[in-house]
Amino acid sequence: MNLPRPPQPIPGARSLFSLDPRMAHLNHGSLGAVPFPVQHAQRLLMDEAERDPRAFAAQVPTRLRLAREAVCPTIGADADLTAFVTNTTTGVALALHSLDLSSGDEIVTTDHGYPSIDFNVAAYTRSRGVVHRVAPVPLDASDDEVVDAVLAAVTARTRLVILDHITSATARLFPVARVSATLRDRGVPLLVDAAHVPGHIPADVAAVGADFWIGNVHKWAFAPRGTALFSVAPHRRERIRPLVESYGQASGFPESVEFHGTDGYTGWIASPAGPAILSQLGLERVWRHNSELAAYGQAVIAKALNTDPADLGRPSPLAMRLIPLPEGVATTQEAALALWQRIRDRLRTETAVNCWNGRGVLRIAAHVHNGAEQYERLADGLPGLLAE
């Protein structure tokens, strides 16, 4: 196997983070990493709130609106159709809460979906007698095959399709715009789980045209954790019902979703500082660096394990890549969790290990704080660890 060349590090990028240098953080996709300037921006807001809590609280709705107006252009979303929420899971719960489905109606997801999304769908369907249909999508499916698989699960009773833009467990890029257009012609609403999109790849919420779009800003776009954007189509705006009715209720969406009186808003207000750092580093340069480094990491680890990822060597904008583990390794989620812990403890490397459809898979990620030597270190140590 001919290894691709890793990219040159972006000068000064690693010094932006407080990550433990003794650990190789190859799992940026799970929790992200907050740069020093963003930490500082939030800390200043926390200090301001403690100096005069009542005055700070009175300014929260306005400052949330200004923060939304600053961040929404980075994802191509209308700030008046978008609200801050804690994470994608919360956004999915909010979308389901705003639907009026009844017994016999159907919700369609795929077998690449995120577990907590399925938890919410399961709870909703149980309480209302709604049917949950899961569309199987092969790991190596082409875009055409993804579209066909989703549409094959859609029936006359389908009232919502939930589709990942970038899948979490399997690191796949799904053609959400194509699915959106087809479902729109059929009158079927679409919810796009874009948890991994902001800051990772170019985003254009308006162009996708989904009924609901939810993306985490705290994963790849450097915002404080607990920062996501929930965006809706214009015809959905008046139908959004907040999970908790509070002081923003009278203003309607998005304020009704965002403002609950006493809450910790400093992360949302500080969130524009995250995408601003990406812009200063150069978005195109960051995207190119990250995708090339992830491809290198995938290749060097796959070579060490003698496995063959379906997308190995294929051009991809993604900064997350999947490496199938040898047969018999991590064949349950419990075994996958145990292997993740061993990799952390023994190889001092943070990764994501999952069991997908009975097959153990290793997911790696790359951002500007990573370097080629970290993937090489994992490749050197992993075969021996698995052999034990």
Side-chain angles (χ1 to χ4, degrees):
M1 178 191 302
N2 293 323
L3 295 178
R5 295 184 61 183
Q8 290 295 314
I10 295 178
R14 289 197 189 188
S15 65
L16 290 170
F17 301 90
S18 54
L19 293 166
D20 185 347
R22 297 169 297 178
M23 179 75 69
H25 298 272
L26 308 185
N27 186 20
H28 190 97
S30 285
L31 295 172
V34 184
F36 280 118
V38 183
Q39 295 179 39
H40 182 61
Q42 184 179 16
R43 196 167 293 117
L44 289 176
L45 288 165
M46 295 171 69
D47 291 344
E48 179 186 346
E50 293 308 317
R51 280 195 301 271
D52 192 340
R54 187 66 184 85
F56 184 85
Q59 298 173 16
V60 164
T62 298
R63 295 173 84 164
L64 288 177
R65 175 179 57 80
L66 293 174
R68 256 191 291 112
E69 290 174 350
V71 177
C72 280
T74 68
I75 60 168
D78 185 333
D80 292 330
L81 298 173
T82 305
F84 282 115
V85 292
T86 305
N87 51 37
T88 302
T89 305
T90 303
V92 170
L94 180 60
L96 292 172
H97 182 67
S98 299
L99 296 174
D100 189 20
L101 304 191
S102 56
S103 179
D105 289 340
E106 298 175 355
I107 295 175
V108 172
T109 63
T110 77
D111 57 354
H112 294 252
Y114 194 67
S116 65
I117 306 305
D118 288 337
F119 298 157
N120 279 272
V121 172
Y124 185 85
T125 54
R126 282 196 306 268
S127 66
R128 293 176 175 254
V130 174
V131 177
H132 180 196
R133 295 169 61 87
V134 179
V137 179
L139 191 60
D140 59 351
S142 67
D143 282 358
D144 288 343
E145 290 170 333
V146 173
V147 175
D148 290 344
V150 172
L151 296 182
V154 173
T155 74
R157 296 304 304 269
T158 302
R159 299 294 181 263
L160 181 69
V161 172
I162 301 176
L163 185 64
D164 298 69
H165 195 163
I166 300 172
T167 64
S168 180
T170 55
R172 285 295 316 275
L173 181 65
F174 279 173
V176 293
R178 285 182 55 187
V179 173
S180 178
T182 304
L183 292 179
R184 194 160 51 247
D185 291 341
R186 299 187 181 194
V188 177
L190 173 66
L191 185 157
V192 173
D193 178 347
H196 286 277
V197 170
H200 188 169
I201 60 173
D204 193 336
V205 173
V208 171
D211 291 70
F212 309 97
W213 186 102
I214 314 156
N216 291 329
V217 192
H218 59 241
K219 285 185 180 289
W220 298 89
F222 296 155
R225 290 181 190 88
T227 303
L229 292 172
F230 173 77
S231 192
V232 302
H235 69 277
R236 290 282 173 185
R237 182 179 183 181
E238 301 303 321
R239 307 183 197 181
I240 299 301
R241 293 182 292 139
L243 297 172
V244 177
E245 296 191 11
S246 190
Y247 289 99
Q249 186 67 24
S251 301
F253 184 83
E255 288 85 354
S256 61
V257 168
E258 290 178 335
F259 187 57
H260 305 130
T262 304
D263 208 338
Y265 300 103
T266 57
W268 293 355
I269 296 171
S271 63
I277 290 177
L278 282 176
S279 295
Q280 291 167 5
L281 293 173
L283 270 176
E284 296 285 347
R285 179 169 67 160
V286 168
W287 288 336
R288 183 171 58 253
H289 169 275
N290 293 351
S291 64
E292 290 178 0
L293 186 56
Y296 175 78
Q298 180 191 44
V300 73
I301 296 168
K303 181 178 181 180
L305 296 181
N306 195 29
T307 60
D308 188 18
D311 61 342
L312 187 64
R314 297 180 186 175
S316 171
L318 296 188
M320 291 197 308
R321 300 297 175 99
L322 204 68
I323 300 103
L325 292 169
E327 291 288 346
V329 175
T331 56
T332 67
Q333 197 56 38
E334 291 76 14
L337 182 61
L339 177 57
W340 163 79
Q341 189 66 58
R342 288 172 63 206
I343 292 172
R344 276 188 60 89
D345 294 345
R346 298 280 296 280
L347 304 180
R348 302 198 63 80
T349 302
E350 168 61 27
T351 63
V353 183
N354 289 293
C355 173
W356 185 78
N357 286 353
R359 179 69 190 269
V361 291
L362 175 74
R363 191 195 74 191
I364 58 165
H367 218 313
V368 296
H369 52 77
N370 295 124
E373 74 283 354
Q374 296 175 323
Y375 305 91
E376 293 163 359
R377 187 176 87 188
L378 178 59
D380 287 342
L382 191 54
L385 186 70
L386 296 181
E388 297 174 5

